[in-house]
Amino acid sequence: MKKKLLFVNGHLNVGGVEKSLTDLLCHLDYSKYDVDLLLLEDKGDYILQIPKQVNILFFDTTKAYGALLDVLMQNLCALRWRIIAFRIILLMAGKLGKKINRLLRGVLALNKDYDVAIAYRIGLCAELVAYTIQAKCKLVWWHHGEIIASASTIADYNKTWRHFNYLVSVSEGCKEMLARTFDYPVDRIVVLPNMIDIAKIVDMAGKKTPYNSVEGKINIVSVGRLYIEKHFEDVVFVSRRLLNEYMSNFHWYLIGDGDLYDNLSAQIEEQGVGEYVTLLGKKDNPYPWIKFADLFVHPSYVESQGLTILEAMALETPCVVSRSVGPSGFMVDGESGIMTDNSADGLYKGVVKMLETEEKGIIVQKALQTVTEEFSIQTIIKAFDKLVCY
C-alpha cells in the first residue's frame, strides 16, 4: 500500500527552499507514495515543474492578513467565509493557545489522515502540521543558515516542535547550530541535504554562452537574492579594488532580485564601476551564465547549504565563496574551491587567488566529484525514503 504524504509550504516562487522542494517532488517514486502539496501564499514560478502525480491544494492565506476590520470587511464582501474563519481561529489561537488550530482542519479541507506530514518551512507551515494535520509521523525542515529569534520565539518553536518526530537540517553545520539553540533531542535532528540534479542543470546550461565574446575578458557571476545577509555590496567594493589594484579586463554580473536592488544600483554608480558591474535581475534560467563564467563568486555570509554554489561546482565553474555554515561542510578550501573571510577584503583576496592559481582544472574536477558523490539524486532520495519509513 502506498504511503500518504503531505507537504506544506508557502509558495513555489523562485527561491532556494522552493527549488529544493520542487526537486524532491520531481524525483520521488510515485509507486510508493500518494502525495498532497498544500500551498498557503501563491502557486508560483515552479508550479509547472511539479509532477502530475502530486495533488496540489491551495489556500490563499494572504487574504487573511492586515488590519482585522479591513480583512473582515473585504472578505465578507467577497463572501470568502473560509478566509474569515481562518483569521478568527488564528486570533483565538493567539489568545488561548496553538491547540485551537485543530479547528482549521475543516477550513483548510484537510480531513484525511496521512502517514507522513512534512512542514517544509518553519512558522505557520510547522504550526499547521503540528496542531492541525493528522499524521502518524511529522517532519519539519530547517533551511536557514543562522538563527535570529527572540527568546519568546525560540520558546514557541520548542513547543511546536514537540509534535514532530524529526527536525530535518540540510547540513551538519545547521544541525550543530540547532542543537545549541533549541530544546530538541539531538538524536532526532536528521541531516538531509538538498539534491543537485546534475544532468538537468547541465542540460539547462546549454552550449551557447550568454556573454559577449571579447578576447581576454574575464566574466564573473554571482547569483542570489539581493538581501542584506547575502552581502552583495561586497561585490561592488571588490570590483572597485580590482580596478584600482589588479586589472580592468573583467565584467561582473549579478543575477537576482530583492530589497537591495536599488541600493546596489546606487552603490555601483557611486563607486564608478557601472561599466564593470551589471545587475541582471532575476533569471528563470541562470545556468548558462554560471557555466560559461570564468569565475563564480558567492559573497553571502549566511547559507544553510548553498545550492547555487553546488550548482556552480556541478557546472565546473571555479568558485570563490564567503565562509558560512553550509559550504563549510562540503567545500575544502584550496581543493574544491576557495573560501574567504566574511569581508570585502577577504573576498577580494579570494578572487585574486583563484584568478592566479594554475590548478583551476584540478579544483573544478574535485568540486564536481564532491557534488556527484554527496548530493546526487539517488543519494538524497534513498535517505528520504529511509526517513519516511519510520
Side-chain angles (χ1 to χ4, degrees):
M1 183 180 293
K2 292 184 181 181
K3 282 187 179 292
K4 295 189 287 293
L5 308 186
L6 172 70
F7 290 84
V8 182
N9 200 55
H11 55 78
L12 287 177
N13 288 316
V14 172
V17 174
E18 289 67 38
K19 186 177 187 307
S20 165
L21 176 56
T22 301
D23 285 344
L24 181 58
L25 291 173
C26 283
H27 292 99
L28 290 180
D29 182 351
Y30 288 96
S31 68
K32 296 179 181 178
Y33 306 117
D34 283 325
V35 178
D36 287 350
L37 169 62
L38 173 63
L39 300 174
L40 299 169
E41 298 167 19
D42 189 11
K43 293 184 178 179
D45 306 279
Y46 292 138
I47 195 73
L48 295 178
Q49 297 182 35
I50 300 301
K52 65 180 183 300
Q53 296 95 327
V54 177
N55 178 37
I56 297 173
L57 311 170
F58 180 58
F59 185 83
D60 189 1
T61 60
T62 62
K63 290 182 170 60
Y65 296 115
L68 179 60
L69 188 57
D70 291 342
V71 168
L72 294 178
M73 290 302 297
Q74 289 170 11
N75 286 292
L76 189 61
C77 291
L79 303 180
R80 291 192 287 256
W81 307 111
R82 290 169 66 202
I83 298 293
I84 293 171
F86 181 84
R87 179 61 185 267
I88 291 172
I89 291 169
L90 286 188
L91 236 128
M92 292 169 60
K95 301 289 186 182
L96 303 175
K98 297 293 174 65
K99 289 183 179 180
I100 295 295
N101 282 338
R102 69 168 70 95
L103 299 175
L104 290 172
R105 290 195 78 191
V107 174
L108 297 174
L110 289 170
N111 295 312
K112 72 165 76 168
D113 293 347
Y114 292 93
D115 293 299
V116 184
I118 299 165
Y120 216 68
R121 278 190 181 272
I122 56 174
L124 178 62
C125 296
E127 289 178 3
L128 290 178
V129 171
Y131 299 106
T132 307
I133 310 300
Q134 291 292 325
K136 297 174 185 175
C137 178
K138 297 184 179 183
L139 314 176
V140 56
W141 247 255
W142 179 278
H143 295 274
H144 307 286
E146 64 178 349
I147 299 170
I148 301 176
S150 66
S152 61
T153 299
I154 289 174
D156 284 343
Y157 285 163
N158 285 331
K159 289 178 184 177
T160 300
W161 291 353
R162 289 175 192 155
H163 298 269
F164 288 89
N165 299 76
Y166 295 104
L167 171 57
V168 182
S169 165
V170 295
S171 68
E172 287 289 347
C174 270
K175 176 178 178 177
E176 293 170 7
M177 178 180 68
L178 293 169
R180 289 194 305 268
T181 307
F182 295 103
D183 181 21
Y184 193 86
V186 178
D187 61 345
R188 285 167 49 201
I189 304 177
V190 178
V191 176
L192 183 60
N194 299 313
M195 70 179 69
I196 303 297
D197 188 340
I198 299 176
K200 179 181 178 181
I201 291 168
V202 169
D203 181 62
M204 291 180 69
K207 298 180 180 179
K208 184 178 180 181
T209 179
Y211 300 106
N212 294 325
S213 181
V214 178
E215 187 175 354
K217 178 77 75 175
I218 294 172
N219 293 307
I220 306 173
V221 68
S222 297
V223 181
R225 293 175 293 116
L226 306 183
Y227 294 154
I228 190 166
E229 70 270 15
K230 302 299 182 181
H231 288 276
F232 277 93
E233 73 278 2
D234 285 355
V235 168
V236 180
F237 294 106
V238 171
S239 299
R240 181 69 264 171
R241 190 168 171 186
L242 285 172
L243 287 170
N244 290 345
E245 302 178 20
Y246 192 72
M247 65 176 183
S248 60
N249 61 328
F250 75 93
H251 202 109
W252 203 319
Y253 298 87
L254 306 186
I255 296 176
D257 208 348
D259 297 342
L260 297 182
Y261 186 97
D262 292 339
N263 184 268
L264 282 169
S265 183
Q267 288 187 38
I268 289 168
E269 184 176 348
E270 288 169 9
Q271 292 297 320
V273 294
E275 294 182 22
Y276 302 90
V277 181
T278 299
L279 290 167
L280 293 175
K282 185 174 71 173
K283 293 283 184 185
D284 291 335
N285 180 11
Y287 301 119
W289 298 88
I290 298 173
K291 176 181 177 179
F292 292 98
D294 297 289
L295 198 61
F296 176 87
V297 179
H298 199 69
S300 175
Y301 297 3
V302 178
E303 290 294 344
S304 57
Q305 182 177 358
L307 273 176
T308 55
I309 302 167
L310 288 163
E311 290 168 343
M313 292 166 68
L315 290 168
E316 300 182 56
T317 303
C319 296
V320 178
V321 177
S322 291
R323 193 177 303 278
S324 61
V325 166
S328 294
F330 61 77
M331 179 173 283
V332 179
D333 182 32
E335 292 186 19
S336 52
I338 290 177
M339 300 197 74
T340 78
D341 295 336
N342 291 336
S343 66
D345 180 65
L347 198 66
Y348 170 79
K349 291 175 180 175
V351 168
V352 171
K353 183 177 179 180
M354 183 64 87
L355 290 173
E356 291 184 345
T357 185
E358 297 180 358
E359 298 184 346
K360 288 189 187 68
I362 297 173
I363 288 173
V364 297
Q365 286 306 307
K366 178 64 176 176
L368 177 60
Q369 180 184 347
T370 298
V371 178
T372 303
E373 292 178 355
E374 298 180 25
F375 302 96
S376 70
I377 295 168
Q378 295 79 6
T379 299
I380 304 308
I381 290 297
K382 183 178 179 181
F384 177 83
D385 288 342
K386 183 179 179 180
L387 180 62
V388 298
C389 281
Y390 51 91

